[in-house]
Amino acid sequence: MNDKKTVSCLGPEGSYSHLAAETLCPESRVLLCGNFPAVFAALAEGAADEAVIPIENSIQGGVLQNLDLLERENVYAVEQTVLKIDHRLALKEGVKLADVRRVYSHEQAIGQCSEYLQKYLPQAECIFTDSTAKSLSLVDDTSAGIVGAHAQKAGVTLSRENIANEKDNFTQFFRLVRREEGLPAHSGTVFFCAVCEHRPGSLLTLLKVFSDEGINLTCVESRPIRGVLGEYRFFIALAGDIADGRIRGALERARGVCRTFRILGAYL
């Protein structure tokens, strides 16, 4: 009987998500998906036993679509890894920068390479793809791509240097499991989301719960609530062990001062 697990992630083969999946789930069979909703759906529907998604980039910040999906779907983040991102310009052999009319890549990659694109390819239209690896298949006589330094394709050359605005560029990835599997026994970080009452001081009340306990909040990010103009959901990470009574008590008190509250994960 083959009991090998399957992990879903954003494809195609060679994407950063694929590399992260191989890092976090080295023994699992990889299921490559065309977009992030499909990654979550594969886990929810049982086609995958776990999933790997990017959640935050050190330059662009949170991967907003995945924050929203993580809040909506019945999953927990139970492990994380960080990959260094090394963006290269992919050109068909013999093509010069002046020949390029389109640059394809993931929205985050294009944003992270904006200075290079403005300086060397001002004439090119930037077109978003589902992943950096996908853009490699679109390189032709007038089209370039932004791909990882590990990408390879016959007839395509990569720039010798990293073209990102910031060379120290990292992306954090989560490993997800279905919520019924539960959280790990211990953690270094707890990640949750909350909606505060829409009145003055409500966010301060929430943050003070953790400040009073001396608990460090390592990330606070807001996202608009769909269909409710002017109100926001906060995604918050705190440094601490989910098994620590002080941490658990603070989380319960935080739940009590929020309109909605949901733990999204716990990981080392």
Side-chain angles (χ1 to χ4, degrees):
M1 180 178 178
N2 189 350
D3 58 357
K4 191 173 187 179
K5 289 185 176 181
T6 297
V7 56
S8 59
C9 68
L10 182 67
E13 186 175 354
S15 67
Y16 281 110
S17 289
H18 185 200
L19 291 181
E22 292 184 326
T23 300
L24 286 167
C25 312
E27 302 301 321
S28 294
R29 181 186 302 107
V30 177
L31 173 62
L32 298 170
C33 300
N35 52 58
F36 290 128
V39 173
F40 280 82
L43 180 59
E45 295 165 6
D49 304 290
E50 48 198 348
V52 169
I53 58 162
I55 199 66
E56 184 178 71
N57 176 262
S58 60
I59 297 174
Q60 294 289 98
V63 181
L64 303 182
Q65 183 181 24
N66 283 343
L67 283 172
D68 293 341
L69 286 165
L70 187 61
E71 183 274 327
R72 292 200 301 267
E73 299 294 332
N74 196 35
V75 299
Y76 276 135
V78 296
E79 191 177 0
Q80 67 93 34
T81 193
V82 175
L83 294 185
K84 183 173 177 60
I85 306 301
D86 186 346
H87 290 312
R88 305 297 176 100
L89 186 72
L91 291 171
K92 186 175 177 181
E93 288 180 355
V95 171
K96 298 179 173 57
L97 291 179
D99 300 327
V100 175
R101 294 292 174 265
R102 292 168 297 279
V103 177
Y104 291 98
S105 198
H106 190 273
E107 179 179 3
Q108 290 250 338
I110 286 175
Q112 291 162 23
C113 300
S114 59
E115 294 174 6
Y116 180 94
L117 295 173
Q118 184 176 11
K119 183 175 181 179
Y120 294 106
L121 291 163
Q123 79 283 2
E125 177 187 6
C126 294
I127 302 174
F128 299 154
T129 57
D130 288 328
S131 70
T132 55
K134 173 65 176 176
S135 68
L136 192 63
S137 66
L138 301 172
V139 172
D140 59 26
D141 290 338
T142 57
S143 301
I146 298 174
V147 302
H150 57 279
Q152 294 182 3
K153 183 181 178 183
V156 173
T157 61
L158 304 187
S159 59
R160 296 180 62 182
E161 303 294 334
N162 183 347
I163 67 168
N165 302 347
E166 298 290 339
K167 307 311 177 191
D168 289 329
N169 181 5
F170 300 88
T171 294
Q172 178 189 25
F173 292 83
F174 281 163
R175 179 172 69 88
L176 310 178
V177 298
R178 286 183 284 275
R179 208 168 180 87
E180 56 263 30
E181 293 191 27
L183 293 166
H186 296 280
S187 70
T189 299
V190 180
F191 192 47
F192 65 92
C193 66
V195 176
C196 300
E197 295 295 339
H198 195 48
R199 61 171 182 256
S202 61
L203 176 58
L204 177 61
T205 299
L206 169 61
L207 299 180
K208 194 171 184 299
V209 169
F210 301 100
S211 176
D212 288 348
E213 290 291 340
I215 297 169
N216 187 29
L217 302 182
T218 58
C219 174
V220 180
E221 183 156 358
S222 64
R223 290 285 295 136
I225 299 173
R226 290 185 302 168
V228 187
L229 183 63
E231 294 195 36
Y232 295 84
R233 175 174 286 104
F234 295 93
F235 292 84
I236 299 175
L238 65 83
D241 187 348
I242 191 70
D244 186 327
R246 183 173 60 100
I247 298 295
R248 298 180 74 89
L251 290 168
E252 282 307 307
R253 287 192 294 280
R255 186 186 302 275
V257 301
C258 294
R259 186 192 307 167
T260 66
F261 182 93
R262 181 178 172 93
I263 292 177
L264 301 177
Y267 43 89
L268 295 173

